Amino acid sequence: TLTAPTATATPKPNATPEPTQIPNCVNDLEYLADLTIPDGTLLDPNTTFEKEWQVKNNGTCNWNDTYTLRLSSGDALGADPSQALVPARNGTDVIIRIEFVAPSEPGVYEATWQAYGPDEVAFGEWLTIKIRVTTP
């Protein structure tokens, strides 16, 4: 007897599977380094720039699309105050990037950002940015 061919799903190349959540896991984030725009960087008014932090997911939870990075205090510097947190399996290092715009007025501008889990609870170390806008 002949059997009909069966279709099989082919995974898309370069598709990263969403990490499966671990039951009763603990969220944590460890700040490792400022990769760009060290604190006190001088910028011209209205300059668009990207801040990068290297962090480690040192909790036992996997970060997925239910995780966010939110402005805790300070100036959002033109960025959305709620950003998607980079998906990361527990124990891995990742780079968090946010695009900012320097204000038009000279001065010192600071902001603190914090990670939030799907339970809306903040966790881990804060990420900070501090820039100085020069006089035009």
Side-chain angles (χ1 to χ4, degrees):
T1 60
L2 292 174
T3 56
T6 55
T8 57
T10 306
K12 291 180 185 173
N14 302 327
T16 304
E18 194 66 39
T20 304
Q21 201 49 277
I22 298 159
N24 303 314
C25 62
V26 176
N27 284 311
D28 205 2
L29 176 150
E30 179 185 1
Y31 162 84
L32 298 175
D34 284 329
L35 299 180
T36 62
I37 314 295
D39 284 352
T41 297
L42 277 172
L43 294 168
D44 290 328
N46 304 311
T47 301
T48 299
F49 63 98
E50 227 180 46
K51 172 73 179 190
E52 294 182 351
W53 296 274
Q54 184 171 10
V55 302
K56 180 174 187 161
N57 177 350
N58 65 335
T60 58
C61 297
N62 294 316
W63 301 341
N64 57 27
D65 62 4
T66 64
Y67 285 74
T68 55
L69 186 71
R70 299 182 197 165
L71 180 67
S72 297
S73 67
D75 193 315
L77 300 170
D80 186 325
S82 182
Q83 304 272 332
L85 188 61
V86 179
R89 293 188 185 279
N90 62 36
T92 60
D93 292 2
V94 293
I95 295 170
I96 295 174
R97 287 181 189 87
I98 300 179
E99 187 173 281
F100 295 104
V101 179
S104 57
E105 295 297 315
V108 175
Y109 295 86
E110 296 183 58
T112 302
W113 294 76
Q114 181 127 40
Y116 282 80
D119 55 3
E120 298 295 316
V121 174
F123 68 89
E125 294 184 87
W126 296 326
L127 303 179
T128 60
I129 180 168
K130 181 177 181 179
I131 61 166
R132 290 177 40 215
V133 177
T134 60
T135 306

